[in-house]
mmCIF file of all heavy atoms in Angstrom:
data_model
loop_
_atom_site.group_PDB
_atom_site.id
_atom_site.type_symbol
_atom_site.label_atom_id
_atom_site.label_comp_id
_atom_site.label_asym_id
_atom_site.label_seq_id
_atom_site.Cartn_x
_atom_site.Cartn_y
_atom_site.Cartn_z
ATOM 1 N N ARG V 26 1.005 28.092 -22.283
ATOM 2 C CA ARG V 26 0.138 29.210 -21.928
ATOM 3 C C ARG V 26 -0.021 30.221 -23.063
ATOM 4 O O ARG V 26 -0.969 31.018 -23.056
ATOM 5 C CB ARG V 26 0.669 29.899 -20.676
ATOM 6 C CG ARG V 26 2.043 30.519 -20.830
ATOM 7 C CD ARG V 26 2.548 31.042 -19.505
ATOM 8 N NE ARG V 26 3.931 31.491 -19.592
ATOM 9 C CZ ARG V 26 4.631 31.894 -18.549
ATOM 10 N NH1 ARG V 26 4.076 31.906 -17.356
ATOM 11 N NH2 ARG V 26 5.882 32.284 -18.696
ATOM 12 N N ASN V 28 -0.863 29.487 -25.930
ATOM 13 C CA ASN V 28 -1.975 29.025 -26.766
ATOM 14 C C ASN V 28 -3.174 28.725 -25.873
ATOM 15 O O ASN V 28 -3.262 27.661 -25.268
ATOM 16 C CB ASN V 28 -1.564 27.765 -27.539
ATOM 17 C CG ASN V 28 -2.615 27.345 -28.558
ATOM 18 O OD1 ASN V 28 -3.771 27.769 -28.501
ATOM 19 N ND2 ASN V 28 -2.228 26.503 -29.492
ATOM 20 N N THR V 38 -7.905 11.253 -15.252
ATOM 21 C CA THR V 38 -7.946 10.297 -16.359
ATOM 22 C C THR V 38 -6.619 10.229 -17.127
ATOM 23 O O THR V 38 -6.483 9.418 -18.026
ATOM 24 C CB THR V 38 -9.060 10.688 -17.356
ATOM 25 O OG1 THR V 38 -8.766 11.980 -17.909
ATOM 26 C CG2 THR V 38 -10.412 10.730 -16.659
ATOM 27 N N PRO V 45 7.700 17.893 -24.245
ATOM 28 C CA PRO V 45 8.766 17.726 -25.242
ATOM 29 C C PRO V 45 9.851 18.778 -25.055
ATOM 30 O O PRO V 45 9.560 19.932 -24.712
ATOM 31 C CB PRO V 45 8.033 17.917 -26.577
ATOM 32 C CG PRO V 45 6.846 18.754 -26.241
ATOM 33 C CD PRO V 45 6.453 18.410 -24.837
ATOM 34 N N VAL V 69 13.581 19.709 -8.873
ATOM 35 C CA VAL V 69 12.366 19.179 -8.247
ATOM 36 C C VAL V 69 12.665 17.867 -7.520
ATOM 37 O O VAL V 69 12.205 17.656 -6.394
ATOM 38 C CB VAL V 69 11.254 18.964 -9.295
ATOM 39 C CG1 VAL V 69 10.043 18.285 -8.661
ATOM 40 C CG2 VAL V 69 10.855 20.289 -9.918
ATOM 41 N N PRO V 88 29.716 20.340 -15.593
ATOM 42 C CA PRO V 88 29.725 20.835 -14.206
ATOM 43 C C PRO V 88 28.333 21.107 -13.662
ATOM 44 O O PRO V 88 28.048 20.814 -12.486
ATOM 45 C CB PRO V 88 30.555 22.115 -14.318
ATOM 46 C CG PRO V 88 31.488 21.866 -15.458
ATOM 47 C CD PRO V 88 30.671 21.078 -16.446
ATOM 48 N N ALA V 93 24.029 19.209 -10.010
ATOM 49 C CA ALA V 93 22.639 18.800 -9.777
ATOM 50 C C ALA V 93 22.571 17.381 -9.221
ATOM 51 O O ALA V 93 21.735 17.084 -8.361
ATOM 52 C CB ALA V 93 21.845 18.900 -11.074
ATOM 53 N N PRO V 101 22.291 9.246 -6.386
ATOM 54 C CA PRO V 101 21.763 8.674 -7.637
ATOM 55 C C PRO V 101 22.556 7.462 -8.092
ATOM 56 O O PRO V 101 23.725 7.287 -7.730
ATOM 57 C CB PRO V 101 21.916 9.831 -8.634
ATOM 58 C CG PRO V 101 23.024 10.660 -8.092
ATOM 59 C CD PRO V 101 22.938 10.548 -6.606
ATOM 60 N N LEU V 104 24.130 4.549 -14.681
ATOM 61 C CA LEU V 104 24.348 3.349 -15.476
ATOM 62 C C LEU V 104 25.004 3.722 -16.794
ATOM 63 O O LEU V 104 24.523 4.610 -17.505
ATOM 64 C CB LEU V 104 23.006 2.648 -15.725
ATOM 65 C CG LEU V 104 22.998 1.415 -16.627
ATOM 66 C CD1 LEU V 104 23.915 0.332 -16.096
ATOM 67 C CD2 LEU V 104 21.576 0.888 -16.773
ATOM 68 N N LEU V 137 34.358 10.171 -11.049
ATOM 69 C CA LEU V 137 33.045 10.359 -10.437
ATOM 70 C C LEU V 137 32.879 9.541 -9.164
ATOM 71 O O LEU V 137 32.232 9.985 -8.204
ATOM 72 C CB LEU V 137 31.943 9.993 -11.439
ATOM 73 C CG LEU V 137 31.828 10.895 -12.671
ATOM 74 C CD1 LEU V 137 30.800 10.335 -13.646
ATOM 75 C CD2 LEU V 137 31.459 12.324 -12.284
ATOM 76 N N GLU V 151 28.722 -9.905 -23.386
ATOM 77 C CA GLU V 151 29.477 -10.362 -24.556
ATOM 78 C C GLU V 151 28.628 -10.252 -25.819
ATOM 79 O O GLU V 151 27.488 -10.718 -25.870
ATOM 80 C CB GLU V 151 29.914 -11.820 -24.359
ATOM 81 C CG GLU V 151 30.809 -12.353 -25.455
ATOM 82 C CD GLU V 151 32.200 -11.772 -25.402
ATOM 83 O OE1 GLU V 151 32.751 -11.640 -24.302
ATOM 84 O OE2 GLU V 151 32.738 -11.449 -26.489
ATOM 85 N N GLY V 159 18.473 7.629 -20.507
ATOM 86 C CA GLY V 159 17.200 8.023 -19.918
ATOM 87 C C GLY V 159 17.334 8.347 -18.444
ATOM 88 O O GLY V 159 18.402 8.189 -17.841
ATOM 89 N N GLY V 175 14.448 9.769 -24.872
ATOM 90 C CA GLY V 175 14.849 10.546 -26.042
ATOM 91 C C GLY V 175 16.292 10.322 -26.425
ATOM 92 O O GLY V 175 16.861 9.257 -26.168
ATOM 93 N N ILE V 195 5.634 12.963 -16.856
ATOM 94 C CA ILE V 195 5.237 13.150 -15.461
ATOM 95 C C ILE V 195 4.014 12.283 -15.192
ATOM 96 O O ILE V 195 3.016 12.371 -15.902
ATOM 97 C CB ILE V 195 4.896 14.619 -15.158
ATOM 98 C CG1 ILE V 195 6.045 15.527 -15.600
ATOM 99 C CG2 ILE V 195 4.588 14.800 -13.675
ATOM 100 C CD1 ILE V 195 7.360 15.270 -14.927
ATOM 101 N N GLU V 199 -0.292 6.534 -9.101
ATOM 102 C CA GLU V 199 0.641 5.589 -8.491
ATOM 103 C C GLU V 199 1.160 4.583 -9.500
ATOM 104 O O GLU V 199 2.320 4.178 -9.458
ATOM 105 C CB GLU V 199 -0.038 4.862 -7.324
ATOM 106 C CG GLU V 199 0.885 3.888 -6.604
ATOM 107 C CD GLU V 199 0.170 3.205 -5.452
ATOM 108 O OE1 GLU V 199 -1.032 3.464 -5.240
ATOM 109 O OE2 GLU V 199 0.824 2.405 -4.764
ATOM 110 N N LYS V 216 20.144 -5.956 -15.624
ATOM 111 C CA LYS V 216 20.368 -7.397 -15.539
ATOM 112 C C LYS V 216 21.804 -7.771 -15.841
ATOM 113 O O LYS V 216 22.351 -8.744 -15.295
ATOM 114 C CB LYS V 216 19.416 -8.121 -16.501
ATOM 115 C CG LYS V 216 19.475 -9.637 -16.412
ATOM 116 C CD LYS V 216 18.457 -10.277 -17.336
ATOM 117 C CE LYS V 216 18.505 -11.794 -17.247
ATOM 118 N NZ LYS V 216 17.511 -12.436 -18.145
ATOM 119 N N THR V 218 24.545 -5.714 -15.472
ATOM 120 C CA THR V 218 25.447 -4.685 -14.958
ATOM 121 C C THR V 218 26.160 -5.163 -13.707
ATOM 122 O O THR V 218 25.736 -6.102 -13.033
ATOM 123 C CB THR V 218 24.688 -3.387 -14.619
ATOM 124 O OG1 THR V 218 23.806 -3.625 -13.515
ATOM 125 C CG2 THR V 218 23.894 -2.889 -15.810
ATOM 126 N N MET V 223 36.771 0.530 -10.017
ATOM 127 C CA MET V 223 37.574 1.735 -10.193
ATOM 128 C C MET V 223 38.821 1.713 -9.304
ATOM 129 O O MET V 223 39.225 2.704 -8.725
ATOM 130 C CB MET V 223 36.733 2.979 -9.869
ATOM 131 C CG MET V 223 35.402 3.007 -10.586
ATOM 132 S SD MET V 223 35.535 2.889 -12.381
ATOM 133 C CE MET V 223 33.826 2.648 -12.841
ATOM 134 N N HIS V 226 44.124 3.479 -10.872
ATOM 135 C CA HIS V 226 44.175 4.876 -11.298
ATOM 136 C C HIS V 226 44.517 4.937 -12.782
ATOM 137 O O HIS V 226 45.442 4.260 -13.245
ATOM 138 C CB HIS V 226 45.245 5.626 -10.485
ATOM 139 C CG HIS V 226 45.166 7.107 -10.640
ATOM 140 N ND1 HIS V 226 45.639 7.757 -11.761
ATOM 141 C CD2 HIS V 226 44.666 8.068 -9.819
ATOM 142 C CE1 HIS V 226 45.444 9.060 -11.622
ATOM 143 N NE2 HIS V 226 44.860 9.275 -10.452
ATOM 144 N N ARG V 239 36.358 16.974 -21.630
ATOM 145 C CA ARG V 239 35.530 17.830 -20.784
ATOM 146 C C ARG V 239 35.681 19.307 -21.110
ATOM 147 O O ARG V 239 35.065 20.140 -20.466
ATOM 148 C CB ARG V 239 35.882 17.585 -19.317
ATOM 149 C CG ARG V 239 35.365 16.251 -18.804
ATOM 150 C CD ARG V 239 35.694 16.043 -17.359
ATOM 151 N NE ARG V 239 34.878 14.986 -16.802
ATOM 152 C CZ ARG V 239 34.952 14.583 -15.530
ATOM 153 N NH1 ARG V 239 35.823 15.163 -14.723
ATOM 154 N NH2 ARG V 239 34.192 13.613 -15.083
#
Side-chain angles (χ1 to χ4, degrees):
R26 63 186 173 185
N28 187 343
T38 62
V69 174
L104 176 58
L137 294 174
E151 185 72 42
I195 307 299
E199 182 180 2
K216 185 177 180 180
T218 67
M223 309 304 170
H226 192 283
R239 287 181 163 180

